[in-house]
Amino acid sequence: MRVLLSTYGTRGDVEPLVALAVRLQALDVQVRMCVPPDEEFARRLESLGIPVVPAGPPVRELMRGPTPPSAGELSRYRDELVAAQFGILPTAAEGCDALVAAGLGQIAARSVAEAAGLQYVYVSYSAVNLPSPHHAPPPRTGWPEPPVSDHRTLWEMDAHNVNTQFAEALNHHRASMGLPPVDNVRDHVYSGRPWLAADPVLGPCPETPGFDVVQTGAWTLPDERPLPAELVAFLDAGAPPVYVGFGSMRPSPDIGHTAVEAIRAQGRRILVSRGWADLELVDERDDVFAMGEVNHQRLFARVAAVVHHGGAGTTLTAARAGVPQVVIPLPVSDNPYWAGRVADLDVGVALLGPAPTVESLSVAFDTALAPETQARARALGARLRTDGATVAAARLVGALR
């Protein structure tokens, strides 16, 4: 039995599929993964014995530019990605029984599976990506923000925007493969039975008319890597610090300085994760420690709170560790959604709107570090599941057999 897993994005997009791949391998399934060509993804997969099929332009190159890409640049980038997928996925899928695609950017995946007669599974990591009258679509970078607030109208406009970007190219390729055209690209990619790889407590699935959603739980793996000795020494030297990190996102340039100042005002020590944004230290005082990529599962168990951008993976890891969160979401993708979930569950604070100031962050920390918030965060952590990837792997294998 062979399965092709395909996604395009940052580490937060790739790691859940890595977890599924490992669980499938444990069931004697041969797996290969189609991911961006960035070197860190290749190293990660090769270390697990997972064959890598690179597709599309490097992600880090896009995320680390001095200025955000323009709408025109993003449109060309998306067109390039679709062309790369139709050029690479058919060969990558040869000999496979199923194709699992994560993310709306996987425009070619269902057509490739259809042409080859493979089982197709679309997976989302956040419920906000699935059309529902209970929430608006997530912000899509480079596309216009609609001047309405009705959820149904917003989803209709979202489908129109996706069609405008992708329909012509998708249907051109489908015609060349002998497949009929589609009139709703977004719902075509999602399929009628999408999977939701999110924890049912942290990110429950609302009503989604027209879709039979399968919620498996979040796809993660235990991380057994030790923390660097220098970091352990810093942690051991005083009270639990507050973690600040924005992963692969590019926050406002002064956010690191603002956060450090606000945390110091609380009398707390600080951990700064440089991330893809290369956050800089304010100074060299001994109450702050800068670090690169480390094991968040081990680290978050030793911090007082986590300040982050609202990525699905970071939100989940902090929640499982039972620590409060202060989320400063960028207005992209599912970041605002996860910020809202942290606020709704009362395990932290969501700072939406203008860039945070020392004053607004100080108020947020007063709430996040309060004993009652800490108690709710610990209680939530005990309720979250850890078997989502195992459930998904068993479900897929069962369907194929």
PDB file of all heavy atoms in Angstrom, residues 43-62:
ATOM      1  N   ARG A  43      15.695  17.726   5.012  1.00  0.00           N
ATOM      2  CA  ARG A  43      16.440  17.110   6.118  1.00  0.00           C
ATOM      3  C   ARG A  43      15.494  16.403   7.082  1.00  0.00           C
ATOM      4  O   ARG A  43      15.769  15.296   7.546  1.00  0.00           O
ATOM      5  CB  ARG A  43      17.250  18.174   6.877  1.00  0.00           C
ATOM      6  CG  ARG A  43      18.472  18.696   6.141  1.00  0.00           C
ATOM      7  CD  ARG A  43      19.423  19.377   7.117  1.00  0.00           C
ATOM      8  NE  ARG A  43      18.739  20.410   7.896  1.00  0.00           N
ATOM      9  CZ  ARG A  43      18.685  21.690   7.560  1.00  0.00           C
ATOM     10  NH1 ARG A  43      19.271  22.106   6.444  1.00  0.00           N
ATOM     11  NH2 ARG A  43      18.054  22.564   8.321  1.00  0.00           N
ATOM     12  N   ARG A  44      14.394  17.055   7.396  1.00  0.00           N
ATOM     13  CA  ARG A  44      13.437  16.480   8.340  1.00  0.00           C
ATOM     14  C   ARG A  44      12.879  15.152   7.826  1.00  0.00           C
ATOM     15  O   ARG A  44      12.838  14.149   8.545  1.00  0.00           O
ATOM     16  CB  ARG A  44      12.305  17.489   8.563  1.00  0.00           C
ATOM     17  CG  ARG A  44      11.099  16.958   9.342  1.00  0.00           C
ATOM     18  CD  ARG A  44      11.429  16.778  10.784  1.00  0.00           C
ATOM     19  NE  ARG A  44      10.200  16.577  11.569  1.00  0.00           N
ATOM     20  CZ  ARG A  44      10.092  15.753  12.579  1.00  0.00           C
ATOM     21  NH1 ARG A  44      11.135  15.016  12.948  1.00  0.00           N
ATOM     22  NH2 ARG A  44       8.967  15.641  13.263  1.00  0.00           N
ATOM     23  N   LEU A  45      12.464  15.127   6.578  1.00  0.00           N
ATOM     24  CA  LEU A  45      11.858  13.917   6.034  1.00  0.00           C
ATOM     25  C   LEU A  45      12.882  12.812   5.834  1.00  0.00           C
ATOM     26  O   LEU A  45      12.605  11.635   6.113  1.00  0.00           O
ATOM     27  CB  LEU A  45      11.158  14.238   4.716  1.00  0.00           C
ATOM     28  CG  LEU A  45       9.984  15.229   4.821  1.00  0.00           C
ATOM     29  CD1 LEU A  45       9.374  15.481   3.459  1.00  0.00           C
ATOM     30  CD2 LEU A  45       8.930  14.720   5.781  1.00  0.00           C
ATOM     31  N   GLU A  46      14.051  13.164   5.363  1.00  0.00           N
ATOM     32  CA  GLU A  46      15.088  12.155   5.153  1.00  0.00           C
ATOM     33  C   GLU A  46      15.497  11.510   6.474  1.00  0.00           C
ATOM     34  O   GLU A  46      15.810  10.313   6.524  1.00  0.00           O
ATOM     35  CB  GLU A  46      16.290  12.785   4.453  1.00  0.00           C
ATOM     36  CG  GLU A  46      16.007  13.111   2.976  1.00  0.00           C
ATOM     37  CD  GLU A  46      17.055  14.027   2.361  1.00  0.00           C
ATOM     38  OE1 GLU A  46      18.004  14.419   3.097  1.00  0.00           O
ATOM     39  OE2 GLU A  46      16.923  14.350   1.174  1.00  0.00           O
ATOM     40  N   SER A  47      15.468  12.267   7.575  1.00  0.00           N
ATOM     41  CA  SER A  47      15.831  11.699   8.875  1.00  0.00           C
ATOM     42  C   SER A  47      14.826  10.650   9.331  1.00  0.00           C
ATOM     43  O   SER A  47      15.138   9.798  10.169  1.00  0.00           O
ATOM     44  CB  SER A  47      15.916  12.808   9.933  1.00  0.00           C
ATOM     45  OG  SER A  47      14.625  13.310  10.260  1.00  0.00           O
ATOM     46  N   LEU A  48      13.607  10.707   8.772  1.00  0.00           N
ATOM     47  CA  LEU A  48      12.558   9.748   9.125  1.00  0.00           C
ATOM     48  C   LEU A  48      12.375   8.669   8.065  1.00  0.00           C
ATOM     49  O   LEU A  48      11.471   7.845   8.162  1.00  0.00           O
ATOM     50  CB  LEU A  48      11.233  10.486   9.332  1.00  0.00           C
ATOM     51  CG  LEU A  48      11.195  11.477  10.500  1.00  0.00           C
ATOM     52  CD1 LEU A  48       9.949  12.339  10.435  1.00  0.00           C
ATOM     53  CD2 LEU A  48      11.259  10.727  11.833  1.00  0.00           C
ATOM     54  N   GLY A  49      13.223   8.688   7.047  1.00  0.00           N
ATOM     55  CA  GLY A  49      13.129   7.693   5.990  1.00  0.00           C
ATOM     56  C   GLY A  49      11.936   7.884   5.083  1.00  0.00           C
ATOM     57  O   GLY A  49      11.422   6.918   4.507  1.00  0.00           O
ATOM     58  N   ILE A  50      11.499   9.132   4.925  1.00  0.00           N
ATOM     59  CA  ILE A  50      10.352   9.447   4.072  1.00  0.00           C
ATOM     60  C   ILE A  50      10.866  10.033   2.763  1.00  0.00           C
ATOM     61  O   ILE A  50      11.507  11.088   2.773  1.00  0.00           O
ATOM     62  CB  ILE A  50       9.404  10.443   4.757  1.00  0.00           C
ATOM     63  CG1 ILE A  50       8.898   9.882   6.090  1.00  0.00           C
ATOM     64  CG2 ILE A  50       8.222  10.785   3.845  1.00  0.00           C
ATOM     65  CD1 ILE A  50       8.134  10.886   6.933  1.00  0.00           C
ATOM     66  N   PRO A  51      10.619   9.390   1.619  1.00  0.00           N
ATOM     67  CA  PRO A  51      11.055   9.951   0.341  1.00  0.00           C
ATOM     68  C   PRO A  51      10.431  11.329   0.105  1.00  0.00           C
ATOM     69  O   PRO A  51       9.242  11.546   0.369  1.00  0.00           O
ATOM     70  CB  PRO A  51      10.552   8.929  -0.685  1.00  0.00           C
ATOM     71  CG  PRO A  51      10.409   7.651   0.085  1.00  0.00           C
ATOM     72  CD  PRO A  51       9.994   8.057   1.462  1.00  0.00           C
ATOM     73  N   VAL A  52      11.245  12.256  -0.404  1.00  0.00           N
ATOM     74  CA  VAL A  52      10.833  13.644  -0.583  1.00  0.00           C
ATOM     75  C   VAL A  52      10.673  13.952  -2.063  1.00  0.00           C
ATOM     76  O   VAL A  52      11.543  13.629  -2.875  1.00  0.00           O
ATOM     77  CB  VAL A  52      11.876  14.610   0.022  1.00  0.00           C
ATOM     78  CG1 VAL A  52      11.402  16.060  -0.092  1.00  0.00           C
ATOM     79  CG2 VAL A  52      12.165  14.254   1.468  1.00  0.00           C
ATOM     80  N   VAL A  53       9.568  14.608  -2.404  1.00  0.00           N
ATOM     81  CA  VAL A  53       9.346  15.109  -3.761  1.00  0.00           C
ATOM     82  C   VAL A  53       9.168  16.619  -3.652  1.00  0.00           C
ATOM     83  O   VAL A  53       8.109  17.099  -3.238  1.00  0.00           O
ATOM     84  CB  VAL A  53       8.094  14.475  -4.398  1.00  0.00           C
ATOM     85  CG1 VAL A  53       7.916  14.991  -5.822  1.00  0.00           C
ATOM     86  CG2 VAL A  53       8.187  12.958  -4.379  1.00  0.00           C
ATOM     87  N   PRO A  54      10.190  17.418  -3.984  1.00  0.00           N
ATOM     88  CA  PRO A  54      10.047  18.870  -3.875  1.00  0.00           C
ATOM     89  C   PRO A  54       9.168  19.432  -4.986  1.00  0.00           C
ATOM     90  O   PRO A  54       9.206  18.959  -6.116  1.00  0.00           O
ATOM     91  CB  PRO A  54      11.487  19.369  -3.994  1.00  0.00           C
ATOM     92  CG  PRO A  54      12.216  18.306  -4.745  1.00  0.00           C
ATOM     93  CD  PRO A  54      11.543  17.003  -4.413  1.00  0.00           C
ATOM     94  N   ALA A  55       8.361  20.443  -4.627  1.00  0.00           N
ATOM     95  CA  ALA A  55       7.478  21.069  -5.625  1.00  0.00           C
ATOM     96  C   ALA A  55       7.259  22.525  -5.262  1.00  0.00           C
ATOM     97  O   ALA A  55       7.037  22.858  -4.094  1.00  0.00           O
ATOM     98  CB  ALA A  55       6.142  20.341  -5.701  1.00  0.00           C
ATOM     99  N   GLY A  56       7.320  23.378  -6.281  1.00  0.00           N
ATOM    100  CA  GLY A  56       7.067  24.794  -6.072  1.00  0.00           C
ATOM    101  C   GLY A  56       8.308  25.550  -5.659  1.00  0.00           C
ATOM    102  O   GLY A  56       9.357  24.961  -5.379  1.00  0.00           O
ATOM    103  N   PRO A  57       8.202  26.872  -5.566  1.00  0.00           N
ATOM    104  CA  PRO A  57       9.343  27.698  -5.148  1.00  0.00           C
ATOM    105  C   PRO A  57       9.587  27.576  -3.650  1.00  0.00           C
ATOM    106  O   PRO A  57       8.685  27.185  -2.897  1.00  0.00           O
ATOM    107  CB  PRO A  57       8.904  29.115  -5.524  1.00  0.00           C
ATOM    108  CG  PRO A  57       7.412  29.058  -5.552  1.00  0.00           C
ATOM    109  CD  PRO A  57       7.043  27.675  -5.962  1.00  0.00           C
ATOM    110  N   PRO A  58      10.792  27.906  -3.170  1.00  0.00           N
ATOM    111  CA  PRO A  58      11.078  27.840  -1.735  1.00  0.00           C
ATOM    112  C   PRO A  58      10.170  28.781  -0.945  1.00  0.00           C
ATOM    113  O   PRO A  58       9.911  29.909  -1.358  1.00  0.00           O
ATOM    114  CB  PRO A  58      12.544  28.280  -1.638  1.00  0.00           C
ATOM    115  CG  PRO A  58      13.109  28.061  -2.999  1.00  0.00           C
ATOM    116  CD  PRO A  58      11.983  28.298  -3.954  1.00  0.00           C
ATOM    117  N   VAL A  59       9.703  28.314   0.207  1.00  0.00           N
ATOM    118  CA  VAL A  59       8.802  29.113   1.031  1.00  0.00           C
ATOM    119  C   VAL A  59       9.549  30.172   1.821  1.00  0.00           C
ATOM    120  O   VAL A  59       9.119  31.317   1.920  1.00  0.00           O
ATOM    121  CB  VAL A  59       8.013  28.201   1.993  1.00  0.00           C
ATOM    122  CG1 VAL A  59       7.217  29.024   2.992  1.00  0.00           C
ATOM    123  CG2 VAL A  59       7.079  27.310   1.206  1.00  0.00           C
ATOM    124  N   ARG A  60      10.683  29.798   2.401  1.00  0.00           N
ATOM    125  CA  ARG A  60      11.420  30.751   3.242  1.00  0.00           C
ATOM    126  C   ARG A  60      11.799  31.997   2.451  1.00  0.00           C
ATOM    127  O   ARG A  60      11.789  33.113   2.982  1.00  0.00           O
ATOM    128  CB  ARG A  60      12.674  30.093   3.830  1.00  0.00           C
ATOM    129  CG  ARG A  60      13.395  30.973   4.827  1.00  0.00           C
ATOM    130  CD  ARG A  60      14.674  30.305   5.298  1.00  0.00           C
ATOM    131  NE  ARG A  60      14.448  29.309   6.321  1.00  0.00           N
ATOM    132  CZ  ARG A  60      14.602  29.539   7.626  1.00  0.00           C
ATOM    133  NH1 ARG A  60      14.951  30.734   8.057  1.00  0.00           N
ATOM    134  NH2 ARG A  60      14.401  28.577   8.494  1.00  0.00           N
ATOM    135  N   GLU A  61      12.119  31.810   1.187  1.00  0.00           N
ATOM    136  CA  GLU A  61      12.499  32.936   0.335  1.00  0.00           C
ATOM    137  C   GLU A  61      11.357  33.944   0.237  1.00  0.00           C
ATOM    138  O   GLU A  61      11.560  35.155   0.270  1.00  0.00           O
ATOM    139  CB  GLU A  61      12.852  32.401  -1.051  1.00  0.00           C
ATOM    140  CG  GLU A  61      13.395  33.419  -2.020  1.00  0.00           C
ATOM    141  CD  GLU A  61      13.782  32.761  -3.334  1.00  0.00           C
ATOM    142  OE1 GLU A  61      14.756  31.979  -3.331  1.00  0.00           O
ATOM    143  OE2 GLU A  61      13.089  33.007  -4.337  1.00  0.00           O
ATOM    144  N   LEU A  62      10.135  33.449   0.140  1.00  0.00           N
ATOM    145  CA  LEU A  62       8.966  34.323   0.069  1.00  0.00           C
ATOM    146  C   LEU A  62       8.710  35.013   1.397  1.00  0.00           C
ATOM    147  O   LEU A  62       8.389  36.202   1.446  1.00  0.00           O
ATOM    148  CB  LEU A  62       7.736  33.517  -0.335  1.00  0.00           C
ATOM    149  CG  LEU A  62       6.405  34.287  -0.389  1.00  0.00           C
ATOM    150  CD1 LEU A  62       6.390  35.231  -1.580  1.00  0.00           C
ATOM    151  CD2 LEU A  62       5.237  33.327  -0.456  1.00  0.00           C
TER     152      LEU A  62
END
